[in-house]
Amino acid sequence: MNKDDISKFDISTQLTMLGRDPAEQFGFVNAPLYKGSTIIYKTLDDIEARRSRFSYGTAGSPTIAHLEDAWTQLTGAEGTVLSSSGLGAVALALFSTTKAGDHILVPDSVYRPTRNFCNQMLARYGVTTTYYDPMIGADIERLIGPNTSTLFLEAPGSQTFEVQDVPAMVAIARRHGVKTILDNTWATPIFFRGHDHGIDLTVEAGTKYLGGHSDILLGLVTANQACWPALRATYDAMSMLPGAEDCMQALRGMRTLFLRLKEAERRGLELARWLSERPEVSRVLHPAFESCPGHAHWKRDFKGSSGLFSIVLAPGYSRDGLAAMLDNLSIFSMGFSWGGYESLVIPFDCRTYRTATHWQAEGFALRLQVGLEDMDDLKNDLARGFERLAAAS
Ligand SMILES: *Cc1c(COP(=O)(O)O)cnc(C)c1O
């Protein structure tokens, strides 16, 4: 079945059909894994004209093409390129829209390694970065200068979950000929399709929900028609592609992406509601909660929420108390990535690195990822942790 036929189906159906073709695979449901560097040409004419669907390992393989084509369709893009990590995908997107002398705008709530890439790498190539309040909305216009090439967005923001006013900011960027890049890792195309809202390039850390099992590193960048040639050329110039096995595992993860995200949403909401009623918790930062900055934007633009959110604890607890809570959890573990099947928690403090806004928290802040464990087991684990927090503070 070709792409156009599949596009009429619901996204959950598409996830089961894209990126495979049993008729070409001796009837096997899934496509085989292609690994390789060299592609062989039959004749002098063919090699001189590079007449072959695939020309060289870095330029693609059937396995890579299956994932690229599937993601292009799921995101409504013109094309997709892959990278060996989510951060690599951010770098590819930014390299494709910037040149020496340019200025870019990046939200203060951006994924921290993206900030590092702008400050450490882009700066060395003569690209300057201004960080802005993620809630700035249409006022972004006053930060656009004659050399501004790119407006970077991340909705919701890392750790603090501010949901940006994507349509308002895209409209301003368009008027000034500024390209927009959206890091859409939290929502995935299941809950938000950036290109439908006028975004030029979207970035997804496939490491998170697409992989879904904490066992791959992968990034995906999509572009609309106007930005696709530059993105593909940037990718071809650098060829920082993922390994074939990781692409294969991403295709496998894709089959259950809808199911897992729907479940992550249900569990995330249940755990966040439970936490919001605990006396130890001062605030819940979850886009589906009114207490979250930009909640109205989420409600207007997003189709759902995933299973990653933050809480701010009530004031008065000590670091010893926090250590007693976190060091002795039975189910939740402490670790930085997310989107797998296991529940995670990390402490964070944005005061140490944000520059355009003042993050203020009345108590310790924690980010939680809800996994697939039993909900009562998860609540009991946290409840016992809260007892230790209070006792040791
Ligand atoms: C994890 C993450 C990335 C980077 O993904 P890696 O594969 O870990 O490099 C980028 N953006 C966001 C929002 C992320 O959460």
Side-chain angles (χ1 to χ4, degrees):
M1 197 177 280
N2 70 37
K3 251 166 67 166
D4 298 333
D5 294 325
I6 292 178
S7 68
K8 67 173 186 273
F9 296 120
D10 184 76
I11 196 161
S12 58
T13 309
Q14 292 188 36
L15 288 165
T16 70
M17 302 174 103
L18 292 167
R20 62 192 188 87
D21 187 355
E24 306 252 302
Q25 301 154 197
F26 307 98
F28 278 79
V29 169
N30 292 294
L33 172 67
Y34 282 85
K35 289 167 64 76
S37 53
T38 305
I39 282 103
I40 290 164
Y41 299 82
K42 276 193 179 140
T43 66
L44 179 64
D45 278 352
D46 285 351
I47 198 162
E48 282 183 350
R50 301 277 190 281
R51 200 175 295 128
S52 167
R53 167 71 178 84
F54 300 99
S55 58
Y56 184 68
T58 56
S61 69
T63 301
I64 286 173
H66 282 139
L67 182 54
E68 286 173 347
D69 292 349
W71 201 252
T72 295
Q73 169 108 6
L74 289 172
T75 54
E78 177 71 13
T80 300
V81 293
L82 307 179
S83 177
S84 51
S85 71
L87 184 59
V90 168
L92 267 177
L94 281 167
F95 273 139
S96 85
T97 66
T98 54
K99 61 179 188 322
D102 280 355
H103 167 246
I104 65 170
L105 293 163
V106 176
D108 213 21
S109 53
V110 78
Y111 176 64
R112 200 170 165 190
T114 299
R115 176 187 291 266
N116 191 51
F117 176 76
C118 296
N119 294 349
Q120 300 295 318
M121 288 296 292
L122 289 184
R124 280 170 47 199
Y125 294 89
V127 177
T128 56
T129 303
T130 300
Y131 294 95
Y132 64 86
D133 181 340
M135 291 291 93
I136 197 168
D139 276 348
I140 193 71
E141 189 155 28
R142 44 184 185 78
L143 298 180
I144 295 176
N147 60 339
T148 306
S149 71
T150 307
L151 170 61
F152 196 96
L153 300 97
E154 186 179 317
S158 277
Q159 322 291 47
T160 43
F161 295 89
E162 299 89 344
V163 186
Q164 299 199 253
D165 190 345
V166 175
M169 298 178 75
V170 162
I172 302 283
R174 284 256 155 121
R175 198 179 311 146
H176 291 268
V178 171
K179 302 211 167 61
T180 48
I181 302 174
L182 171 71
D183 186 332
N184 195 42
T185 299
W186 180 85
T188 82
I190 307 292
F191 292 144
F192 189 78
R193 297 212 320 170
H195 295 304
D196 292 351
H197 296 264
I199 291 283
D200 294 313
L201 297 112
T202 78
V203 169
E204 182 84 26
T207 306
K208 310 288 169 54
Y209 280 124
L210 180 58
H213 296 73
S214 307
D215 55 1
I216 65 166
L217 289 160
L218 182 79
L220 306 97
V221 193
T222 66
N224 61 13
Q225 206 171 9
C227 294
W228 171 241
L231 176 63
R232 181 70 211 193
T234 305
Y235 169 87
D236 285 335
M238 307 223 267
S239 86
M240 304 187 296
L241 65 165
E245 283 96 348
D246 283 359
C247 297
M248 192 82 182
Q249 275 178 282
L251 281 162
R252 192 181 220 259
M254 195 179 79
R255 308 301 172 202
T256 55
L257 183 63
F258 186 83
L259 203 66
R260 287 186 288 104
L261 275 175
K262 282 296 191 188
E263 187 61 12
E265 173 174 48
R266 189 184 73 73
R267 291 162 160 270
L269 287 170
E270 183 177 335
L271 194 66
R273 266 187 216 115
W274 180 81
L275 284 163
S276 72
E277 282 159 15
R278 292 287 309 195
E280 299 87 353
V281 176
S282 166
R283 272 189 287 157
V284 170
L285 299 171
H286 183 305
F289 280 58
E290 270 176 31
S291 53
C292 191
H295 166 70
H297 304 144
W298 173 82
K299 211 169 165 179
R300 183 191 63 197
D301 300 333
F302 285 62
K303 290 204 176 88
S305 55
S306 56
L308 186 82
F309 62 94
S310 291
I311 55 173
V312 178
L313 297 179
Y317 297 115
S318 70
R319 193 183 173 283
D320 283 349
L322 188 66
M325 175 184 174
L326 297 180
D327 293 356
N328 298 291
L329 291 166
S330 310
I331 302 175
F332 282 87
S333 352
M334 284 189 276
F336 284 109
S337 195
W338 47 274
Y341 53 83
E342 77 289 13
S343 288
L344 298 167
V345 58
I346 53 162
F348 66 89
D349 183 358
C350 309
R351 281 175 309 185
T352 57
Y353 60 91
R354 291 202 177 163
T355 52
T357 54
H358 293 287
W359 161 248
Q360 290 191 327
E362 55 280 22
F364 292 112
L366 302 174
R367 190 194 70 186
L368 295 116
Q369 123 96 12
V370 59
L372 297 176
E373 304 91 345
D374 178 73
M375 289 306 292
D376 289 335
D377 284 344
L378 291 177
K379 290 174 195 168
N380 289 335
D381 198 25
L382 292 175
R384 284 194 300 270
F386 285 141
E387 283 164 22
R388 293 190 299 274
L389 171 74
S393 285

